[in-house]
Amino acid sequence: GQQVMQIPQYQHVQEGEDFTTYCNSSTTLSNIQWYKQRPGGHPVFLIQLVKSGEVKKQKRLTFQFGEAKKNSSLHITATQTTDVGTYFCAGRGNEKLTFGTGTRLTIIP
Amino acid sequence: DAGVTQSPTHLIKTRGQQVTLRCSPKSGHDTVSWYQQALGQGPQFIFQYYEEEERQRGNFPDRFSGHQFPNYSSELNVNALLLGDSALYLCASSRRRQSYEQYFGPGTRLTVT
């Protein structure tokens, strides 16, 4: 079945540094979504990418969808303490949404 | 406008028992999906309901079943509970069966002893 992996599993950064998480699918995706889950909370939808090579920005967050529609990345510029949480990608292949393994981001003040 | 609500918040059950979890979707949403999230892992898709029918199913045994009511609310039932069923159960609603944006509820924390 479809598998979605993310790296790294954990990332500790100093406040103000940049952060990137990478998502790779075993199969071609029709679209990919990104979610953020704060500690003790539930996933919150951030964005969806649909087109090959698509790039979208939300303030300090930049999302990319690969040309082959099998990988994606999320980049955060100048991290802040409010960015703490686990970031999940979720790929839609055969109509089902498969969540990645997540990258847990911690910020060192 | 209320978001997705789930009940109960926490639940403790014994192996072999049965449990029912409930979800009310966000106003205007007609599709409900259920996920299981074990500690430290990503949500795993259980199934999705639309127009009161199960439309998609993940790799979960038949012990996991569900229902959707005419008002779009949904229930998740798990029979013959196993220790491994301990997890956070998340309900997510969206506007249509293959909608892009899912709104998650706060989840039900199930502990099986």
Side-chain angles (χ1 to χ4, degrees), chain A residues 1 9 31 33 35 37 40-45 48 88 92 94-102, chain B residues 35 37 40-45 48 56-58 88 90 97-102 104-107:
Chain A
Q9 188 176 0
N31 61 61
Q33 300 176 6
Y35 292 80
Q37 186 171 22
H42 57 275
V44 174
F45 176 85
Q48 174 172 277
F88 291 100
R92 191 178 299 279
N94 55 347
E95 299 190 357
K96 297 177 184 178
L97 197 63
T98 302
F99 276 75
T101 47
Chain B
Y35 292 84
Q37 186 175 27
Q41 298 183 19
Q44 299 295 310
F45 175 73
Q48 183 183 74
Q56 299 173 22
R57 189 178 183 93
L88 179 67
L90 295 161
R97 187 157 54 99
Q98 296 182 36
S99 174
Y100 55 93
E101 185 168 352
Q102 293 189 107
F104 280 83

Side-chain angles (χ1 to χ4, degrees), chain B residues 7-27:
Chain B
S7 63
T9 305
H10 296 85
L11 202 54
I12 300 175
K13 289 286 189 178
T14 305
R15 272 184 303 174
Q17 287 188 316
Q18 178 264 344
V19 68
T20 297
L21 311 180
R22 296 176 175 81
C23 170
S24 290
K26 180 178 170 62
S27 178

